[in-house]
Amino acid sequence: MGKTFGRRESLKVMVRGVPIGGGSPVTVQTMIKRPPEDVEGIIADIKLLAAQGCDIIRLAIPDENAARSIKQIVTQSPIPVVADVHFHPKLALLSIEAGVHKLRLNPGNIRRTTDVIAIAREAKSAGIPIRVGVNSGSIPQDLREKYGDDKISPLVEGAERHVAILNDAGFHDIVVAIKSSDVEEMIAANRAYAAKHSEPLHLGVTESGTLYMGSVRSSVGIGVLLEEGTGDTIRVSLAADPTWEVRCGLEILRSLGLKPKGLRVIACPACGRAEIDVHALAERIEAAMEGLQGDLDIAVMGCVVNGPGEVGAADIGICGGKGRGVIVVGGGWLEVASEDELIDKFMVELNALLDKS
Ligand code: SF4
């Protein structure tokens, strides 16, 4: 499925049956934002996110209660679960014991080598990979001083350090993430790492911002690298509900031909010629399509100037006229309906088309 030609050759790791790297389809991840004690809420969130297309879910494990409650989550989750642990080796070991499918942890932040070796040994025997990495906010002081104004090299070397610690402990099942809140830095650092190493890469722009700013910034950072063939799994970090992170991640992959396009609404931006409310119509169609599966281009156009051409080229669409619209399927004009009836009639035709496809 999707584009594989021209992808960077990376090693493959398995996260409970979901591959990352080695030419596998690029996966979409997000993170649970509820407090860890809300186990029922977390399980419900994971099921919803999985139904929306999320491939892998990550949870912060800030304390021992969270590490223990992850067992119930892992058992009920339809997708692989990653435990995000910082500084505390015991939390990593408890998470492995609870059955998580991957760890996110930086071995350089764990003081005793014996603890790193113990985590590596347990992860290896459980058959789970470890994601290591750096972001622009956590570069060690000595690397900052070593490289001065060069912001890229400390990110790359910081990641290399974490990988080397695990390699020294005999562990090689590693995914690397190099994130920055600066999009250009994130792109340059990932390019530099990808040119030197073969671990699969987890891409993301960290603290990318609100739904609007974050989606744009993440799409640019992640999209540029993916288009160059670099990147094996992605997370769009947004100051918004995780469902938006998944939707945005999937749309990035679809835009680049790395996932089937799905049900893609193409709406004209509307202008002074629009004779129906295109924005409201497109949003209502998107809402009505929630949960439907398929692979179709759906065009919603505001007037008869450019409308017929675009709608004719789509699989199905609506071309607006004064207070009404024409439903067009496969280039053929099917039905003229008033603005009030348009959505219901359109959905009947869309469902009929999906049944046939
Ligand atoms: Fe304007 Fe019509 Fe083009 Fe929409 S399709 S942007 S309404 S000219």
Side-chain angles (χ1 to χ4, degrees), residues 83-166:
D84 189 306
V85 178
H86 281 281
F87 306 113
H88 301 291
K90 188 169 181 197
L91 299 182
L93 293 169
L94 283 172
S95 300
I96 298 172
E97 200 181 311
V100 291
H101 309 112
K102 180 178 163 204
L103 279 181
R104 184 269 181 268
L105 147 148
N106 276 341
N109 299 341
I110 291 174
R111 270 187 304 122
R112 295 191 315 187
T113 313
T114 48
D115 286 332
V116 175
I117 291 170
I119 294 167
R121 188 184 57 230
E122 293 307 313
K124 202 170 181 175
S125 84
I128 65 170
I130 299 178
R131 193 253 277 192
V132 303
V134 280
N135 69 47
S136 47
S138 68
I139 297 171
Q141 187 61 25
D142 67 312
L143 290 179
R144 281 185 199 283
E145 287 167 9
K146 178 176 171 188
Y147 288 106
D149 289 340
D150 174 1
K151 302 273 189 282
I152 309 307
S153 302
L155 284 166
V156 175
E157 193 171 327
E160 287 170 340
R161 267 186 191 177
H162 292 302
V163 172
I165 295 170
L166 284 183

Side-chain angles (χ1 to χ4, degrees), residues 7-20:
R7 300 257 314 269
R8 163 187 172 252
E9 281 184 25
S10 58
L11 299 169
K12 188 196 279 189
V13 305
M14 294 302 292
V15 190
R16 195 188 71 182
V18 175
I20 298 179

Side-chain angles (χ1 to χ4, degrees), residues 246-270:
V246 173
R247 291 169 90 163
C248 185
L250 290 171
E251 206 47 49
I252 292 171
L253 298 185
R254 286 182 185 132
S255 307
L256 295 169
L258 290 163
K259 246 201 172 352
K261 60 191 171 186
L263 294 177
R264 186 162 63 114
V265 176
I266 306 153
C268 84

Side-chain angles (χ1 to χ4, degrees), residues 44-268:
D45 280 356
I46 297 175
K47 288 183 175 167
L48 174 69
L49 292 162
Q52 287 181 325
C54 180
D55 298 299
I56 296 169
I57 190 77
R58 179 157 56 109
L59 285 97
I61 305 297
D63 54 37
E64 290 189 24
N65 284 338
R68 291 200 176 88
S69 65
I70 205 169
K71 187 168 193 166
Q72 192 185 341
I73 295 166
V74 164
T75 314
Q76 295 188 47
S77 172
I79 51 177
V81 176
V82 184
D84 189 306
V85 178
H86 281 281
F87 306 113
H88 301 291
K90 188 169 181 197
L91 299 182
L93 293 169
L94 283 172
S95 300
I96 298 172
E97 200 181 311
V100 291
H101 309 112
K102 180 178 163 204
L103 279 181
R104 184 269 181 268
L105 147 148
N106 276 341
N109 299 341
I110 291 174
R111 270 187 304 122
R112 295 191 315 187
T113 313
T114 48
D115 286 332
V116 175
I117 291 170
I119 294 167
R121 188 184 57 230
E122 293 307 313
K124 202 170 181 175
S125 84
I128 65 170
I130 299 178
R131 193 253 277 192
V132 303
V134 280
N135 69 47
S136 47
S138 68
I139 297 171
Q141 187 61 25
D142 67 312
L143 290 179
R144 281 185 199 283
E145 287 167 9
K146 178 176 171 188
Y147 288 106
D149 289 340
D150 174 1
K151 302 273 189 282
I152 309 307
S153 302
L155 284 166
V156 175
E157 193 171 327
E160 287 170 340
R161 267 186 191 177
H162 292 302
V163 172
I165 295 170
L166 284 183
N167 285 167
D168 288 348
F171 193 87
H172 299 274
D173 226 3
I174 300 168
V175 178
V176 170
I178 303 179
K179 298 191 177 184
S180 172
S181 49
D182 182 293
V183 174
E184 286 179 290
E185 269 178 37
M186 174 267 186
I187 293 171
N190 277 283
R191 273 184 189 147
Y193 192 91
K196 289 168 72 181
H197 303 286
S198 53
E199 287 86 13
L201 289 173
H202 167 122
L203 303 182
V205 175
T206 193
E207 293 125 26
S208 64
T210 55
L211 182 55
Y212 158 62
M213 286 294 279
S215 300
V216 174
R217 288 157 46 71
S218 295
S219 303
V220 173
I222 295 170
V224 163
L225 286 162
L226 286 178
E227 183 57 18
E228 293 173 357
T230 295
D232 302 284
T233 184
I234 66 171
R235 189 235 170 153
V236 175
S237 303
L238 296 175
D241 191 272
T243 56
W244 285 108
E245 297 191 357
V246 173
R247 291 169 90 163
C248 185
L250 290 171
E251 206 47 49
I252 292 171
L253 298 185
R254 286 182 185 132
S255 307
L256 295 169
L258 290 163
K259 246 201 172 352
K261 60 191 171 186
L263 294 177
R264 186 162 63 114
V265 176
I266 306 153
C268 84

